[in-house]
Amino acid sequence: MKSVLVVGGGVVGLFTAYYAMLRGYGVTVVERGGPGHDCCSLGNAGLIVPSHFVPLAAPGMIAMGVRMLADPEGPFAIRPRCDRGLIDWCIKFARSCTEAHVTRSAPLLRDLNLQSRGCYEELGSRPRQDFGLTRHGLLMLCRLPETLRAEAVFVERARRLGMAAELLTPERAEKLDPAIRMNIAGAVYFPDDWSLTPARLIAGLTRELELGGVKFLWNTEAVRAVARGRVVEYIDTSAGRLSADETVIAGGAWSSGLAGSLGLHLPLQAGKGYSLTLTNPCRVPNLCSLLTEARVAVTPMEGSLRFAGTMEIVGLDPSVNQRRVRGIVKSVPRYFPQLTSDDFSGVPVWSGLRPCSPDGLPYIGRFHRYSNLSVATGHAMMGVSMGPITGKLMAEVLSDETPSIDITLLDPDRYASVSA
């Protein structure tokens, strides 16, 4: 029986372990946190979004980011620091912000998310797997007419890719979701987007893996990998030396450090995000939504209401920037006037570090230099949305099969010989 060592117990690592387990492999998961570890998926919006087919690196993103930097409560921040990795990442990001890159990437991101959604539907039909899968669609709410006009162009692009999308007047949006009043110029409706409750997903998946014989090493940090020739022989961890037939790096924002111990170049930056969850809100919308100008996701979760947003490029720093949190809180009443900033008084703030690649595409597959080392990371805000299909593709890679989706664009060595 082939042995597989998965470094990282977040949603991507768990799904990699899950699909490897289904193939009969002996799987060990090494996780730097404890059994109740707060991976970057637990507090996120829980969205499954085929509508998100435009990568983070896209035309206009640099100009938008520069404008947002001027606002201390805005949804984007970057901490200037003398760091070659950050400079290298920024240059590569700028080079990827082209229309050609979006055109190449959009069909792949669409397919990854659609197939991942199918995996969730299959998983949700299994016993003990109730993670609040909801199929109501998503609204992109636009307060400003100019934003709505820009989203109308996006609607046409979505339709050309075969995605269902509808431009809505304010009246049509409120008719679609009468549970809450909206202050908007209009909206875009994506009926094929779904949502789930991340904490229940992680807990149920972990329990399924444990019942299936997967071994977990909690509170164990992978320090370095050691290879002989083209074979990774072992991983040095805080709990001792571990070896397996196959190793998968799925450590989220920490993945590049382990890859770097073998001389591999895996550009990543941690993008910090925050969320606040109202457990007893005065109003709960029926549909998920994105507050477009504010860059805030809103998800109903079994009677509670979660608001998630912000992208802070600040290194591996999980601390909470209260000004950015205030930005999220202040944005909510602008779209939902029945909710107030006072509703968030005393609500705990969650923060998580998302692994962001420079081109906005994940790293999935084997490293060319080693015959038994693979990686699955770099999903940015899409870890939950693309977690299952990533795990399924990784199981195919570990089995030396041709992946069911062409993952050429996701090659983990795509920056191996590209200097800034």
Side-chain angles (χ1 to χ4, degrees), residues 83-293:
D83 182 280
R84 290 182 61 185
L86 175 61
I87 295 169
D88 175 71
W89 187 94
C90 289
I91 293 172
K92 288 178 169 60
F93 178 83
R95 289 174 176 170
S96 297
C97 289
T98 67
E99 184 59 38
H101 175 60
V102 173
T103 299
R104 285 192 302 269
S105 304
L108 173 61
L109 291 174
R110 173 203 61 195
D111 292 346
L112 289 169
N113 282 294
L114 282 172
Q115 292 211 26
S116 215
R117 192 188 65 180
C119 293
Y120 272 123
E121 192 163 32
E122 180 181 359
L123 179 65
S125 67
R126 294 176 64 88
R128 305 181 302 273
Q129 289 297 331
D130 180 7
F131 43 87
L133 192 61
T134 304
R135 303 168 173 84
H136 291 167
L138 176 140
L139 287 172
M140 291 185 67
L141 305 181
C142 304
R143 289 187 64 242
L144 304 175
E146 55 265 36
T147 307
L148 188 63
R149 287 193 292 271
E151 293 305 322
V153 176
F154 183 70
V155 167
E156 290 306 312
R157 184 166 206 152
R159 289 173 175 168
R160 288 197 298 272
L161 283 168
M163 302 295 301
E166 183 181 356
L167 198 64
L168 305 180
T169 63
E171 296 76 19
R172 175 78 178 101
E174 291 207 8
K175 187 175 181 181
L176 194 63
D177 192 349
I180 195 165
R181 194 163 70 247
M182 307 174 199
N183 179 24
I184 57 174
V188 177
Y189 178 47
F190 290 100
D192 296 329
D193 287 1
W194 296 357
S195 68
L196 53 79
T197 303
R200 288 180 59 182
L201 170 69
I202 297 297
L205 194 54
T206 301
R207 184 170 58 250
E208 186 87 6
L209 291 170
E210 290 174 333
L211 290 172
V214 172
K215 181 180 179 182
F216 283 87
L217 297 177
W218 303 109
N219 299 306
T220 302
E221 183 174 0
V223 179
R224 65 170 185 144
V226 176
R228 183 187 296 273
R230 296 192 67 246
V231 176
V232 173
E233 290 198 323
Y234 58 87
I235 306 293
D236 274 332
T237 77
S238 56
R241 184 171 293 179
L242 300 174
S243 61
D245 297 325
E246 297 275 2
T247 296
V248 180
I249 301 175
W254 286 264
S255 299
S256 56
L258 187 58
S261 70
L262 288 169
L264 298 166
H265 187 44
L266 192 72
L268 279 175
Q269 287 296 313
K272 184 163 56 179
Y274 304 107
S275 73
L276 302 98
T277 304
L278 301 181
T279 56
N280 190 28
C282 64
R283 291 287 188 279
V284 180
N286 296 323
L287 275 64
C288 301
S289 59
L290 291 177
L291 313 184
T292 305
E293 293 89 352

Side-chain angles (χ1 to χ4, degrees), residues 71 73 143 181-184 291 294 326-339:
D71 182 1
E73 296 182 348
R143 289 187 64 242
R181 194 163 70 247
M182 307 174 199
N183 179 24
I184 57 174
L291 313 184
R326 284 196 296 272
I328 295 174
V329 171
K330 286 181 178 179
S331 71
V332 174
R334 296 171 187 156
Y335 294 82
F336 299 127
Q338 291 165 306
L339 301 175

Side-chain angles (χ1 to χ4, degrees), residues 43-97:
N44 73 14
L47 299 178
I48 307 164
V49 278
S51 65
H52 283 42
F53 53 79
V54 174
L56 190 61
M61 289 302 295
I62 295 175
M64 181 186 299
V66 170
R67 290 195 302 270
M68 290 178 176
L69 283 175
D71 182 1
E73 296 182 348
F76 176 73
I78 186 166
R79 179 186 296 165
R81 57 192 191 275
C82 187
D83 182 280
R84 290 182 61 185
L86 175 61
I87 295 169
D88 175 71
W89 187 94
C90 289
I91 293 172
K92 288 178 169 60
F93 178 83
R95 289 174 176 170
S96 297
C97 289

